[in-house]
Amino acid sequence: MARMHTRRRGSSGSDKPAADEPPEWSDVDSEQIEQRVVELAEQGHDPSQIGIKLRDEGVTGTPIPDVKLATGKKLTEILEENDAKSELPEDLRSLMQRAIRLREHVQENPQDYQNKRALQNTESKVRRLVDYYRGKEIEPEFTYSYDVAKTLLEE
């Protein structure tokens, strides 16, 4: 997979093992898993953080390696059903946070050309994602700007 804003090529890493049923040692009831997912979401965790917590800590001490295998639903589907879903998708939220941090840094350090470029690239990615999500996850007339992102993420 080529990187979006660099000339570097390739990305290596491990893939998730192909499995169609949860392991025998992870025999937690799907309702308990769903309750724990909603509980963690209410504490302010993002879906990826919830997945990591379930993998590491589990429910009642039993790790949950894959929520979808254990419950038959994706983590985001569980959050949607229980009205615990955030108003912004997680990837868009984290990119906006990065853009805000970069912009504040660049305003304090106007000579930092490397981070000026990083800010341009990050905001470009944000605009692409906004176009992708517009009408589905976010309202059709939404447009990204620093001020909009700042007010959205302060809530």
Side-chain angles (χ1 to χ4, degrees), residues 25-78:
W25 49 264
S26 178
D27 57 351
V28 181
D29 183 41
S30 63
E31 286 179 23
Q32 286 180 311
I33 296 171
E34 288 187 30
Q35 286 173 344
R36 183 73 178 133
V37 165
V38 173
E39 190 180 302
L40 288 169
E42 286 169 355
Q43 291 172 11
H45 296 290
D46 290 326
S48 61
Q49 293 172 320
I50 293 171
I52 290 169
K53 278 193 169 298
L54 288 176
R55 183 198 68 196
D56 295 344
E57 300 164 13
V59 179
T60 63
T62 308
I64 312 296
D66 191 333
V67 172
K68 189 175 179 190
L69 283 181
T71 61
K73 300 177 206 164
K74 285 183 171 182
L75 223 155
T76 49
E77 289 173 6
I78 294 171

Side-chain angles (χ1 to χ4, degrees), residues 61-94:
T62 308
I64 312 296
D66 191 333
V67 172
K68 189 175 179 190
L69 283 181
T71 61
K73 300 177 206 164
K74 285 183 171 182
L75 223 155
T76 49
E77 289 173 6
I78 294 171
L79 293 176
E80 253 177 62
E81 287 173 6
N82 293 286
D83 296 325
K85 192 177 158 214
S86 68
E87 69 270 6
L88 281 177
E90 181 183 5
D91 52 355
L92 183 59
R93 172 183 295 279
S94 60

Side-chain angles (χ1 to χ4, degrees), residues 87-89 91-92 96 123-145 148:
E87 69 270 6
L88 281 177
D91 52 355
L92 183 59
M96 282 184 176
E123 287 187 336
S124 171
K125 287 179 189 176
V126 169
R127 283 190 211 96
R128 281 185 180 152
L129 256 186
V130 164
D131 284 344
Y132 174 76
Y133 284 126
R134 188 175 285 126
K136 295 177 243 169
E137 305 281 327
I138 53 180
E139 55 271 4
E141 60 278 346
F142 180 87
T143 50
Y144 169 80
S145 75
V148 169

